[in-house]
Amino acid sequence: NYTQKWKLNVIRRNKHSCFTERQVTSKIVEVKKFLQITCENSYYQTLVNGTSLYKNCKKLPLENNKNPTIKKNAEFEDQGYYSCVHFLHHNGKLFNITKTFNITIVEDRSNIVPVLLGPKLNHVAVELGKNVRLNCSALLNEEDVIYWMFGEENGSDPNIHEEKEIRIMTPEGKWHASKVLRIENIGESNLNVLYNCTVASTGGTDTKSFILVRKADMADIPGHVFTRGMIIAVLILVAVVCLVTVCVIYRVDLVLFYRHLMRRDETLTDGKTYDAFVSYLKECRPENGEEHTFAVEILPRVLEKHFGYKLCIFERDVVPGGAVADEIHSLIEKSRRLIIVLSKSYMSNEVRYELESGLHEALVERKIKIILIEFTPVTDFTFLPQSLKLLKSHRVLKWKADKSLSYNSRFWKNLLYLMPAKTVKPGRDESEVLPVLSES
Ligand SMILES: *[C@@H]1O[C@H](CO)[C@@H](O)[C@H](O)[C@H]1NC(C)=O
Ligand SMILES: *[C@@H]1O[C@H](CO)[C@@H](O)[C@H](O)[C@H]1NC(C)=O
Ligand SMILES: *[C@@H]1O[C@H](CO)[C@@H](O)[C@H](O)[C@H]1NC(C)=O
Ligand SMILES: *[C@@H]1O[C@H](CO)[C@@H](O)[C@H](O)[C@H]1NC(C)=O
Ligand SMILES: *[C@@H]1O[C@H](CO)[C@@H](O)[C@H](O)[C@H]1NC(C)=O
């Protein structure tokens, strides 16, 4: 009791595709905007066993078997044909209902304000005669333009070339453009002038400038100058180390030279009579004859006649008789140094007092300095008083009969170094080389 006419339009199925192109719903989505595709069929909803979603006829791996859905921000890769296929059983037969969306992604239709990338003013260090490429790149809209501007008052420069613009679309549907200005065979006229790159759109313009400067004009230190500076610093360091080493090795010579140069004299004001008291073995036995000769002849000859010192040698300077112990003590008090000529048989009763008196002056009262001369090699120092071992090792001089004869030998230099500074020098009537000691 109810009739209605239907007009049924049957479209032939495309055998090579999963959908029919004449039966698609087109949708245009802007990039970055919300994209949603939902497979729904309200009419058959209760009958549908399952639904699948295909993109360009490839099944998408979606979890939801009932209503597969895509919800995301649109990207250009999302463009394509999306087919929802609903499967349902009816009278034992499997039917499918297909609905296809034609999704087109278009770029953002709102315009951006174009921007040039990088700093607004660029100093480019160049060498004359070389080439340089100035790269100007910008983020801009499709219809925006990018161009170079530079002073061409002297006619166009044949060495300046604008290269072809390169444009790449960004995922946001905007454009990344770069345009290179190539300057060949750079000359003076290319230096210190502005090369401007401008991007222009309806929304405004942006400009950045390049200035070519000669490489040496750059403010920061170039690499080779830095390297040179480091080398110089290292050389100075090495020189200082060498100088210090030389000073340590030739300490004695330098001090003697300094004393000579400054005419230093530390003997004038201390009120003492003698520069040194010589303590040696008094008994003149044949086996220590050399030692005796050294103390009584060689030492005074060199120190007194040649270098102008005044020595106190008991045997020579003290008239016999009187209280020997008191005499020695007062003589040591009047002396600036105590020279001990040391040998194995040194510690006799007679010198013991000199030694003890000198040590007292040196170590307790600090009025006299002790100089030890090792005349014959001494291996066993146990016979010496304990306090003598506190002497600094450089205050012990070794006499080497063969090497120590010349006035310029290290032995005499070291001895002069330990002696007080004194300027008075007698005339040089002596020969420069001492007579060789008698070989006994
Ligand atoms: C899909 O949409 C695009 C853009 O609107 C259109 O050019 C194309 O013809 C459509 N495809 C079909 C099969 O309708
Ligand atoms: C589909 O639904 C029919 C009845 O509605 C049922 O008999 C059949 O088992 C279902 N098949 C699947 C694969 O779910
Ligand atoms: C839909 O059903 C037809 C006929 O039953 C079949 O040939 C076709 O492959 C099916 N399509 C899909 C996408 O399963
Ligand atoms: C210019 O610089 C941009 C990035 O700053 C880069 O993507 C482009 O490749 C460069 N062009 C040339 C020709 O070097
Ligand atoms: C380049 O730009 C600067 C400021 O941005 C402007 O003062 C100068 O005149 C411009 N030069 C050229 C050749 O366009």
Side-chain angles (χ1 to χ4, degrees), residues 117 133 135 137 163 166 176 178 180:
L117 308 177
R133 298 173 85 237
N135 181 2
S137 53
E163 291 184 1
I166 298 166
H176 186 252
S178 63
V180 169

Side-chain angles (χ1 to χ4, degrees), residues 199-228:
V199 61
S201 78
T202 49
T205 62
D206 190 18
T207 297
K208 78 188 252 183
S209 305
F210 291 82
I211 296 178
L212 304 189
V213 293
R214 214 187 297 252
K215 216 157 218 165
D217 295 348
M218 293 294 282
D220 55 347
I221 307 169
H224 65 281
V225 173
F226 180 75
T227 317
R228 220 175 282 166

Side-chain angles (χ1 to χ4, degrees), residues 21 24 26 28 81 102 104:
E21 283 175 9
V24 297
S26 286
I28 292 174
Y81 295 98
N102 173 15
T104 307

Side-chain angles (χ1 to χ4, degrees), residues 168-180:
I168 302 161
M169 196 189 226
T170 66
E172 293 83 29
K174 296 296 155 206
W175 293 90
H176 186 252
S178 63
K179 198 165 200 177
V180 169

Side-chain angles (χ1 to χ4, degrees), residues 370-436:
I370 293 181
I371 302 170
L372 274 184
I373 296 177
E374 213 182 290
F375 186 76
T376 49
V378 180
T379 45
D380 176 24
F381 278 93
T382 49
F383 64 89
L384 287 175
Q386 201 66 27
S387 49
L388 206 58
K389 291 175 192 154
L390 299 174
L391 275 182
K392 290 193 190 108
S393 63
H394 75 262
R395 293 201 168 269
V396 180
L397 304 179
K398 286 189 169 60
W399 169 261
K400 294 196 184 73
D402 47 345
K403 289 188 199 150
S404 306
L405 285 174
S406 163
Y407 292 139
N408 287 323
S409 70
R410 197 121 292 276
F411 175 83
W412 293 115
K413 279 184 181 167
N414 287 343
L415 184 55
L416 287 185
Y417 170 72
L418 296 176
M419 290 294 283
K422 194 166 187 176
T423 49
V424 191
K425 297 272 156 77
R428 294 197 167 199
D429 48 348
E430 292 278 314
S431 69
E432 285 294 307
V433 179
L434 291 170
V436 179

Side-chain angles (χ1 to χ4, degrees), residues 11-24 54-58 80-83 85 96 98-101:
I11 302 162
R12 187 180 296 276
R13 225 171 66 87
N14 185 340
K15 283 205 179 104
H16 308 292
S17 181
C18 60
F19 65 94
T20 305
E21 283 175 9
R22 284 165 68 189
Q23 192 72 6
V24 297
Y54 296 76
K55 182 187 179 186
N56 297 331
C57 294
K58 275 199 192 119
Y81 295 98
Y82 291 82
S83 306
V85 182
N96 57 32
T98 304
K99 183 178 168 84
T100 301
F101 301 96

